[in-house]
Amino acid sequence: SHPLLCPPGIKCGGVLSAPSGNFSSPNFPGLYPYETECTWLIVVAEGSSVLLSFSHFELEYHNTCAYDYLQVYNGAAQDRGNLLGTFCGHSPPPPFSSAWHVMAVVFRSDRHVAKHGFAAAYRKDACGGQLTGLSGEITSPRYPESYPNDAECRWSIGGASGGGPLTLVFADFQMEGGQGCGFDYVALFDGPTVTAPSLGRYCGSARPPRTVSSTPHLLIIFKSDFNIGGRGFKAHFYSAGECQEVFTTIKGNFSSPQYPNFYPNNLKCQWSIQLPPGYRVKVFFLDMELEGRSSLTGACDYDHLSAFDGGTESGSLLGRWCGRESLAPVTSHSNRLLLLLHTDRNTAKRGFSISYVGVVPMNVSCTRTDFHIQIPVQSLAQLERNRIYLGTPSCAAQVVGRNFKIHTRFDTCGTESQRRNNTSVIVSTLYIDFSVGDQEDIHQYEVQCEPKRKEASVTLIAGPDPSRLSQAENLVDVQKWEGEAIDAREIKSQDTSDIVFISICILAGLLMVIAVVGLVLL
């Protein structure tokens, strides 16, 4: 039989701008043509959203939909970060609610096996729908204007690959109140249907508490009766695991959702590092590629990663990054640090990979001859004193009161004298061994003393996974090390020039002595 080719007269794809409408695959309900590609762009009024649903769906099946397929995109751009899903076979896609006023649908067939195709309908401002992203926003109909009477909306959140439990946070909430919330209300369920356990029913003007599901699904129902309305609500959701994590261990690592594949668009993800009091957090950027800077402002206006001291967005901003950069490590001033990833509606990239390590609280001081190191026992409560040593294991800490203490002379414990920036300094390495079983985990700190000034300093030089960190450190510290190499060459050349100068002085002195002796003898 001859392949079904798409006759020139058949309309395929286009822009759909009416408030509601229908579209289908070419020839529907007949067999669709071979080797066809159609794109429908649905555009409704700015500020509205699109609800897309399928009444019929039958495409050639393949387990990865590599032959014939239908793709739904959140927005105009066919950007991997906007893809809501790829579908084939006989199972229709779920209803989709767009995150803004544009949605794209792409249909493609190959040169073999035709089926009956699909029929779809869309409408603007229909509330509810299936939300599969790792994060997103939900509002009541017409928000922030008063919501309509006799409305009922259902948002089913979940189904994102690798998604964990979901967190829902209400930014605004104002509805008709009443005993038992029997008139207008928002009801939350810990699963995809109303048979799942209830997570609460809310009305009035008090914002509902932050809600966390125990499954990767969450159902939100909004209902209004025949009179008395309100402004409604605005809420954000995000998936735990890939998009929201809290770390309390002394070291760890994490990456952007779907790394090293492209991250989704329209994200607001957060990673919170919370360490014991006294610790600071040092973050190492192992890899980063986000959407670049704005050509208009030169700033990170699109996708960006931000770090805040103190664990909240109201803390001081430690940095805001985008594009493809090799970044120097960042250290917090407190024991808490918050990292936020914002992505906009298009242009996704590979994302980032990050490691962090807790900087142990310690007090390092020195005299002209000795190092004094003091670490609160509670900071390293699980460690034996012999796990903390300077230079060699024989120089282990002693427990004195509530502190681990190391008090040692400069001529012991692997200390060495160096010249840095034309200054003589005494340097050694403090080892803190967090290893458990076969898992080696030794953190290293360089302790340094300038004996003339009796000034000491300490710097974390190696933490978790030294190979990965050293690669990352090497990337960002090349210039620094080059600078130090230049310093070292200068120091070396100064040292040799000093030797030459002293030699000349000694030689001149000897010649003068010989001359004086000669004169006396004469």
Side-chain angles (χ1 to χ4, degrees):
S1 62
H2 294 287
L4 293 165
L5 295 173
C6 198
I10 287 189
K11 188 179 178 188
C12 173
V15 178
L16 307 172
S17 56
S20 63
N22 302 282
F23 60 99
S24 56
S25 50
N27 291 338
F28 183 83
L31 300 179
Y32 50 74
Y34 299 147
E35 295 190 295
T36 300
E37 185 163 335
C38 316
T39 300
W40 290 268
L41 194 63
I42 306 166
V43 184
V44 296
E46 183 90 47
S48 301
S49 63
V50 178
L51 180 67
L52 176 70
S53 58
F54 293 84
S55 56
H56 186 88
F57 192 84
E58 185 196 348
L59 272 61
E60 179 185 7
Y61 176 77
H62 179 263
N63 59 354
T64 62
C65 296
Y67 304 148
D68 300 353
Y69 59 79
L70 180 113
Q71 291 181 317
V72 181
Y73 289 90
N74 212 348
Q78 285 183 34
D79 183 303
R80 273 184 274 181
N82 281 339
L83 182 63
L84 291 172
T86 301
F87 306 93
C88 62
H90 288 255
S91 299
F96 281 109
S97 183
S98 69
W100 49 90
H101 71 294
V102 181
M103 193 176 242
V105 178
V106 177
F107 166 70
R108 186 184 176 282
S109 64
D110 66 3
R111 60 177 64 191
H112 305 285
V113 188
K115 297 287 184 181
H116 292 280
F118 70 89
Y122 76 90
R123 53 200 171 106
K124 87 174 182 82
D125 278 341
C127 62
Q130 181 83 20
L131 299 164
T132 58
L134 288 170
S135 72
E137 184 178 284
I138 299 168
T139 60
S140 50
R142 300 180 188 167
Y143 177 88
E145 304 297 324
S146 189
Y147 54 78
N149 293 328
D150 298 315
E152 183 169 347
C153 314
R154 290 178 176 227
W155 292 270
S156 180
I157 308 172
S161 59
L166 293 151
T167 298
L168 183 71
V169 179
F170 284 87
D172 189 18
F173 194 87
Q174 192 214 0
M175 295 173 61
E176 179 186 6
Q179 190 75 33
C181 295
F183 306 126
D184 300 354
Y185 61 84
V186 168
L188 310 176
F189 295 89
D190 196 1
T193 66
V194 291
T195 57
S198 169
L199 291 172
R201 184 167 167 144
Y202 303 99
C203 60
S205 55
R207 262 192 306 169
R210 171 188 291 251
T211 301
V212 182
S213 69
S214 65
T215 72
H217 293 274
L218 184 66
L219 177 66
I220 302 165
I221 294 180
F222 164 74
K223 203 167 186 316
S224 64
D225 65 3
F226 62 90
N227 66 359
I228 307 175
R231 191 168 62 245
F233 69 87
K234 177 180 179 180
H236 301 274
F237 70 87
Y238 37 89
S239 170
E242 278 200 288
C243 195
Q244 184 215 10
E245 289 183 89
V246 177
F247 297 94
T248 55
T249 53
I250 299 302
K251 66 187 176 79
N253 49 64
F254 53 91
S255 53
S256 50
Q258 301 172 16
Y259 176 87
N261 297 318
F262 283 33
Y263 51 75
N265 289 322
N266 208 35
L267 287 180
K268 182 180 179 183
C269 298
Q270 58 181 60
W271 294 268
S272 178
I273 303 167
Q274 303 172 5
L275 300 185
Y279 276 82
R280 289 177 298 132
V281 184
K282 187 167 188 176
V283 171
F284 301 87
F285 299 90
L286 307 180
D287 181 29
M288 191 176 89
E289 187 191 3
L290 305 179
E291 184 179 2
R293 293 175 179 272
S294 161
S295 57
L296 293 174
T297 65
C300 295
D301 295 335
Y302 307 135
D303 300 352
H304 58 269
L305 179 70
S306 307
F308 296 90
D309 204 3
T312 66
E313 287 184 70
S314 58
S316 61
L317 182 68
L318 296 173
R320 179 171 163 134
W321 307 281
C322 59
R324 189 172 185 171
E325 298 175 26
S326 292
L327 302 174
V330 169
T331 305
S332 67
H333 302 297
S334 71
N335 61 324
R336 290 171 179 249
L337 183 135
L338 178 70
L339 283 152
L340 286 184
L341 172 67
H342 281 265
T343 68
D344 63 8
R345 298 179 182 184
N346 49 31
T347 317
K349 296 288 183 181
R350 189 171 69 244
F352 66 80
S353 174
I354 279 176
S355 266
Y356 77 87
V357 58
V359 180
V360 175
M362 64 181 77
N363 184 12
V364 179
S365 59
C366 66
T367 65
R368 288 179 182 272
T369 56
D370 301 62
F371 269 125
H372 294 269
I373 300 168
Q374 194 168 296
I375 303 172
V377 167
Q378 68 175 34
S379 300
L380 303 171
Q382 77 278 31
L383 295 188
E384 300 288 326
R385 68 175 187 83
N386 60 359
R387 297 286 202 97
I388 304 146
Y389 54 90
L390 187 68
T392 61
S394 59
C395 291
Q398 302 295 322
V399 178
V400 181
R402 295 183 179 180
N403 293 295
F404 291 114
K405 285 191 176 181
I406 296 176
H407 179 193
T408 179
R409 293 181 60 82
F410 291 157
D411 53 2
T412 59
C413 298
T415 53
E416 57 179 51
S417 180
Q418 295 182 5
R419 277 185 77 80
R420 294 187 181 177
N421 299 328
N422 298 338
T423 305
S424 291
V425 293
I426 306 296
V427 177
S428 188
T429 303
L430 176 70
Y431 297 90
I432 302 178
D433 186 353
F434 288 98
S435 303
V436 178
D438 299 336
Q439 204 73 37
E440 187 178 89
D441 182 19
I442 300 174
H443 297 200
Q444 298 173 37
Y445 292 79
E446 183 185 80
V447 290
Q448 177 181 314
C449 175
E450 198 178 319
K452 282 184 183 176
R453 296 185 181 179
K454 301 181 188 175
E455 284 184 1
S457 63
V458 60
T459 312
L460 175 72
I461 51 173
D465 200 351
S467 61
R468 287 179 76 194
L469 286 189
S470 60
Q471 288 169 11
E473 293 266 49
N474 287 347
L475 285 173
V476 299
D477 288 351
V478 164
Q479 293 171 315
K480 194 172 90 176
W481 296 130
E482 283 174 353
E484 289 188 3
I486 291 163
D487 291 345
R489 284 199 299 275
E490 286 174 357
I491 289 164
K492 202 168 183 181
S493 63
Q494 283 171 342
D495 289 348
T496 53
S497 60
D498 288 348
I499 290 164
V500 170
F501 178 71
I502 290 163
S503 304
I504 290 167
C505 290
I506 292 168
L507 190 61
L510 283 169
L511 289 170
M512 283 180 69
V513 169
I514 290 164
V516 169
V517 170
L519 285 168
V520 169
L521 291 173
L522 287 169

